[in-house]
Amino acid sequence: MGELAASIAHEVNQPLSAVIINGNACRRWLGGASPNLEEARDAVGRIIEEGNRASEVISEIRSFVKKSPPHKEEVDINALILETIGLVRGEIIRNQVVQLTDMAADLPPVYGDRIQLEQVLLNLIMNAIEAMHAVAERPRELLVGSQWQDDAQGVLVSVRDSGSGLEALDQEQVFDAFFTTKPEGMGMGLSLGRSTITAHGGRLWAGPNPDYGTTFNFTVPAHV
Ligand SMILES: Nc1ncnc2c1ncn2[C@@H]1O[C@H](COP(=O)(O)OP(=O)(O)OP(=O)(O)O)[C@@H](O)[C@H]1O
Ligand SMILES: [Mg+2]
């Protein structure tokens, strides 16, 4: 919680500083004998933009804190995988991604919150697609798999990409709240994903592929 508070302070402080700087600039543009209205208008525009950014951060935090405990039921993981892929079909086509699945047959249902698990999977798949944006010299391959895992007494879901990889990043930092390398990213996907999976009694982790890209894995215990 202390770590989260520090991230929040940091994230809200940035737009607030920008509001103050632009407010001061605006006052200077308006002062003097011949005020520069155009510059003043631009500064006000930036104030509004930064204000919106701060309010977005706050509403994201609100939904993070309000997140209700998982409403657990039996979930067919393979059906959930296919449904989630269906949601991002447009993105897959638009980004020229080759999408493959490798799902074990006869998996028992897992015990979890359908909607929350779908959110986790959706973020992993979107991250994978986004990590392959810059890939041009090899196929952009997305492989979503499922298999039974004895140690976890549950199902292991994996999302593998041939993207940029995590080598340049701190492997654990990507799970921090607000850590993002994307201009439009919030950096909440993996942080929320990990807390969701932990609340389900499972684990979420990442590892490099032998050749290129990354595989994100999570487990969800089966209903016993
Ligand atoms: N498959 C991946 N390959 C390479 N880097 C990744 C991958 N998945 C995540 N990352 C890195 O981890 C960061 C955090 O991911 P996370 O999903 O938490 O946030 P985000 O995608 O940036 O924003 P959002 O909150 O919209 O999901 C990403 O910005 C990216 O730098
Ligand atoms: Mg994401």
Side-chain angles (χ1 to χ4, degrees):
M1 205 57 201
E3 214 174 286
L4 183 64
S7 308
I8 292 168
H10 174 76
E11 283 302 306
V12 179
N13 237 339
Q14 272 178 333
L16 278 182
S17 310
V19 165
I20 294 167
I21 290 166
N22 282 293
N24 280 324
C26 185
R27 194 158 56 182
R28 277 197 309 277
W29 292 120
L30 290 176
S34 52
N36 189 331
L37 292 183
E38 202 174 318
E39 290 286 0
R41 194 180 297 120
D42 285 354
V44 171
R46 287 192 293 274
I47 289 172
I48 293 170
E49 220 171 86
E50 295 294 337
N52 281 332
R53 165 85 187 156
S55 112
E56 249 171 57
V57 171
I58 302 281
S59 69
E60 194 79 8
I61 292 162
R62 197 172 288 139
S63 61
F64 179 75
V65 174
K66 254 196 356 215
K67 198 159 67 75
S68 39
H71 169 75
K72 290 183 181 171
E73 57 187 337
E74 287 193 349
V75 178
D76 176 344
I77 273 286
N78 287 347
L80 191 77
I81 290 174
L82 292 176
E83 193 180 302
T84 312
I85 290 172
L87 294 176
V88 294
R89 178 130 304 137
E91 286 299 299
I92 290 172
I93 294 168
R94 217 165 51 74
N95 287 281
Q96 295 169 302
V97 169
V98 181
Q99 181 263 308
L100 306 162
T101 47
D102 180 14
M103 302 187 290
D106 305 324
L107 286 174
V110 299
Y111 191 49
D113 185 313
R114 256 190 93 72
I115 309 279
Q116 289 186 12
L117 292 176
E118 186 167 273
Q119 288 303 315
V120 175
L121 193 52
L122 192 60
N123 178 56
L124 294 182
I125 294 175
M126 284 309 298
N127 283 354
I129 296 172
E130 285 158 2
M132 295 190 285
H133 268 156
V135 170
E137 70 284 9
R138 56 179 182 269
R140 298 177 183 172
E141 234 173 58
L142 170 70
L143 174 65
V144 185
S146 65
Q147 67 190 83
W148 175 255
Q149 213 199 25
D150 255 340
D151 334 341
Q153 280 300 295
V155 175
L156 170 73
V157 177
S158 55
V159 178
R160 181 193 159 113
D161 64 62
S162 61
S164 52
L166 294 180
E167 284 75 13
L169 305 170
D170 177 334
Q171 303 250 332
E172 277 303 299
Q173 196 182 21
V174 296
F175 294 98
D176 287 351
F178 301 117
F179 176 84
T180 184
T181 55
K182 301 167 194 170
E184 303 295 319
M186 187 64 78
M188 290 303 282
L190 288 176
S191 157
L192 284 172
R194 187 168 259 181
S195 61
T196 300
I197 295 300
T198 306
H200 277 77
R203 240 164 45 83
L204 168 64
W205 73 100
N209 297 332
D211 45 5
Y212 298 103
T214 317
T215 300
F216 278 83
N217 304 286
F218 68 84
T219 55
V220 190
H223 192 188
V224 276

